[in-house]
């Protein structure tokens, strides 16, 4: 009799496994749904030209000793028939990169899909913080696609905040942009 009760327990345990598989399936479906939403990003108008878009990222160290100074300024602009990425990077007070290059439509589409997955278009348009501290710079990410606008400001130490996954991910996508 003990053997029979053990086999029933085993059967009940095996019945739990398919439910666990279904949970995984649901998670995959959600991520697929999220991805399919980004596939439908409208980046061109009915004429087949790019919808005007401007993305700006401006980050700097603020007032620190020259050997620790840095500044990063990236700007991605979609005009009617072309997309331009401009990058300017200063390290240790010296300009090390200053370029503007045209970007292929495929790369632009990929970047926009990534940014939309992190819902850059749904962030509010923040005002610059009123509290200004000497030696502390406020950094900026600004996004505009047609009439959709979002903007956020941050201090460097905020990037270490665990609640900053969305904004950090957006910044990292921009920081990795290369022509």
């Amino acid at each position: 009799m003990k053997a029979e009760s053990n086999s029933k327990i085993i059967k009940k345990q095996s019945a739990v496994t398919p439910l666990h598989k279904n949970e995984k399936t649901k998670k995959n479906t959600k991520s697929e749904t999220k991805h399919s939403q980004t596939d439908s990003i409208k980046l061109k108008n009915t004429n087949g030209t790019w919808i005007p878009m401007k993305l700006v990222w401006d980050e700097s160290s603020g007032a620190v000793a020259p050997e620790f100074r840095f500044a990063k300024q990236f700007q991605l602009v979609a005009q009617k028939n072309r997309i331009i990425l401009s990058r300017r990077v200063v390290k240790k007070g010296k300009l090390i990169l200053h370029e503007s290059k045209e970007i292929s439509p495929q790369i632009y589409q990929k970047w926009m899909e990534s940014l939309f997955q992190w819902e850059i278009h749904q962030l509010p348009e923040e005002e610059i913080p009123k509290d200004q501290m000497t030696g502390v710079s406020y950094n900026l990410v600004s996004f505009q696609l047609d009439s959709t606008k979002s903007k956020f400001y941050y201090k460097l130490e905020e990037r270490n905040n665990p609640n900053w996954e969305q904004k950090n991910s957006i910044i990292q996508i921009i920081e990795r942009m290369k022509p």
Side-chain angles (χ1 to χ4, degrees), residues 8-44:
K8 288 180 182 176
I9 291 173
I10 291 170
K11 286 180 183 177
K12 286 182 182 178
Q13 287 174 345
S14 66
V16 174
T17 307
L19 290 176
H20 182 57
K21 287 180 182 175
N22 286 343
E23 287 177 20
K24 285 183 181 178
T25 305
K26 286 180 185 176
K27 287 178 186 175
N28 290 341
T29 305
K30 285 181 183 179
S31 66
E32 287 172 11
T33 303
K34 192 173 191 176
H35 183 68
S36 66
Q37 289 172 346
T38 61
D39 287 341
S40 63
I41 298 170
K42 187 177 175 188
L43 298 176
K44 288 192 172 187

Side-chain angles (χ1 to χ4, degrees), residues 34-178:
K34 192 173 191 176
H35 183 68
S36 66
Q37 289 172 346
T38 61
D39 287 341
S40 63
I41 298 170
K42 187 177 175 188
L43 298 176
K44 288 192 172 187
N45 60 26
T46 54
N47 299 335
T49 60
W50 296 111
I51 294 173
M53 190 283 306
K54 185 174 184 179
L55 173 68
V56 176
W57 174 52
D58 194 352
E59 182 176 280
S60 67
S61 58
V64 296
E67 63 268 17
F68 299 110
R69 283 190 193 144
F70 75 88
K72 300 173 186 175
Q73 299 166 333
F74 284 34
Q75 184 171 311
L76 181 65
V77 177
Q79 300 166 338
K80 286 185 180 187
N81 296 311
R82 53 193 274 194
I83 303 122
I84 304 292
L85 174 65
S86 300
R87 302 184 308 156
R88 184 174 186 269
V89 178
V90 174
K91 286 188 181 176
K92 297 181 182 181
K94 295 181 181 179
L95 182 65
I96 62 165
L97 177 68
H98 191 242
E99 67 180 6
S100 289
K101 293 192 176 178
E102 192 164 345
I103 303 302
S104 75
Q106 296 81 9
I107 291 173
Y108 176 61
Q109 179 77 32
K110 181 180 169 188
W111 290 344
M112 294 304 290
E113 287 173 4
S114 296
L115 290 167
F116 270 64
Q117 279 184 332
W118 287 102
E119 299 176 339
I120 191 170
H121 60 295
Q122 293 183 0
L123 291 171
E125 191 172 3
E126 296 177 2
E127 296 291 324
I128 190 161
K130 292 179 179 162
D131 297 335
Q132 299 289 322
M133 297 185 296
T134 303
V136 176
S137 67
Y138 282 99
N139 305 293
L140 158 79
V141 172
S142 175
F143 174 77
Q144 181 174 353
L145 177 65
D146 203 18
S147 62
T148 302
K149 295 179 183 180
S150 64
K151 184 187 295 185
F152 65 90
Y153 292 89
Y154 65 95
K155 294 181 278 184
L156 290 176
E157 63 265 13
E158 289 177 304
R159 289 194 63 184
N160 298 323
N161 185 339
N163 297 330
W164 258 64
E165 182 182 10
Q166 178 188 22
K167 291 178 179 178
N168 259 330
S169 296
I170 290 169
I171 293 166
Q172 289 169 1
I173 290 165
I174 298 168
E175 193 168 24
R176 288 190 301 261
M177 289 180 177
K178 292 182 178 140

